[in-house]
Amino acid sequence: GAVVSQHPSRVICKSGTSVKIECRSLDFQATTMFWYRQFPKQSLMLMATSNEGSKATYEQGVEKDKFLINHASLTLSTLTVTSAHPEDSSFYICSAAGTSGRQETQYFGPGTRLLVL
Amino acid sequence: EDQVTQSPEALRLQEGESSSLNCSYTVSGLRGLFWYRQDPGKGPEFLFTLYSAGEEKEKERLKATLTKKESFLHITAPKPEDSATYLCAGTQGGSEKLVFGKGTKLTVNP
């Protein structure tokens, strides 16, 4: 299947700092990428849909100014958590829409564990 | 409201003991039904996409089926390495957004 990478895999930061997470589709072009967050023992919650060359679409309740998304190319989307606070600590996962054989799906990255102290 | 409900929440099997996981959905205009496997601390791994009632897909010990109201993930003669959380998700026609269920945590004991 297709490969999606995320960097960093784990980050620890102080409260008030900003953190950037990169999501790359390594072997296919992704016009659409998605950002999710996942709390312990819970399922994935969609935060926003990122479209190449246009503004991201945020889900209800997700602060646009806090979670900045940039999709500058067909293989790269970034999520910046601005002025991070302890409640932003979570597992952030990106995905890219692609096709495996004739199956449409989303391919997920390995996730980024964010801990805000 | 579109919903995807998975059952059971957790399932413990002995190695070789076959079983099924259930995913029921109320996604209007369902376009695709997806199954993923997620290991702790990792992103979901794609397993199957099903598009229409009656469709079946297989991969090793796993077989996914779809009816008009639900999907099943059948696990035949599971091994300990099949232990993971299995996630079901649906998409609506015209949208690529996945609506996820809460998952079934499968534990296979040797």
Side-chain angles (χ1 to χ4, degrees):
Chain A
V3 180
V4 175
S5 70
Q6 275 184 248
H7 178 79
S9 59
R10 184 184 297 266
V11 58
I12 301 174
C13 68
K14 293 182 179 180
S15 185
T17 60
S18 294
V19 175
K20 180 186 283 189
I21 303 170
E22 291 186 349
C23 176
R24 293 181 185 273
S25 57
L26 298 183
D27 53 0
F28 67 104
Q29 294 184 330
T31 54
T32 305
M33 290 185 171
F34 303 84
W35 287 95
Y36 297 81
R37 65 188 298 181
Q38 186 176 33
F39 292 105
K41 298 185 179 181
Q42 293 189 24
S43 194
L44 284 75
M45 183 188 81
L46 179 64
M47 298 174 65
T49 302
S50 169
N51 294 295
E52 187 266 336
S54 64
K55 291 183 179 181
T57 304
Y58 290 82
E59 294 300 300
Q60 191 172 12
V62 178
E63 297 176 60
K64 301 178 182 182
D65 295 332
K66 181 156 191 67
F67 299 100
L68 300 179
I69 292 172
N70 183 276
H71 194 156
S73 76
L74 288 172
T75 59
L76 174 65
S77 177
T78 60
L79 169 68
T80 301
V81 183
T82 62
S83 186
H85 291 283
E87 58 265 30
D88 298 323
S89 298
S90 188
F91 191 51
Y92 292 87
I93 313 174
C94 72
S95 71
T99 303
S100 171
R102 293 185 295 171
Q103 298 188 94
E104 297 177 13
T105 190
Q106 287 182 28
Y107 292 96
F108 285 83
T112 297
R113 177 77 59 191
L114 171 63
L115 177 60
V116 185
L117 302 176
Chain B
E1 182 183 339
D2 294 333
Q3 278 195 321
V4 175
T5 304
Q6 292 187 245
S7 63
E9 290 185 11
L11 180 63
R12 284 186 175 273
L13 299 173
Q14 288 298 122
E15 184 171 3
E17 179 186 1
S18 301
S19 188
S20 297
L21 312 182
N22 177 264
C23 171
S24 62
Y25 60 90
T26 57
V27 177
S28 58
L30 183 79
R31 189 177 87 179
L33 190 292
F34 300 78
W35 283 97
Y36 289 87
R37 168 193 170 128
Q38 186 176 26
D39 293 297
K42 297 187 178 180
E45 174 191 344
F46 171 67
L47 294 175
F48 305 108
T49 307
L50 300 168
Y51 292 104
S52 56
E55 189 174 1
E56 298 183 354
K57 287 187 178 168
E58 289 188 66
K59 180 180 179 181
E60 296 180 352
R61 295 178 292 281
L62 301 177
K63 182 170 79 172
T65 61
L66 182 66
T67 71
K68 289 185 177 180
K69 294 184 178 181
E70 57 193 348
S71 177
F72 292 93
L73 184 65
H74 307 277
I75 302 176
T76 302
K79 298 182 178 181
E81 52 263 40
D82 294 323
S83 297
T85 295
Y86 289 85
L87 299 169
C88 172
T91 55
Q92 279 183 300
S95 172
E96 291 177 298
K97 293 201 296 186
L98 287 171
V99 178
F100 276 95
K102 293 185 177 181
T104 294
K105 183 178 181 180
L106 174 67
T107 303
V108 182
N109 297 313

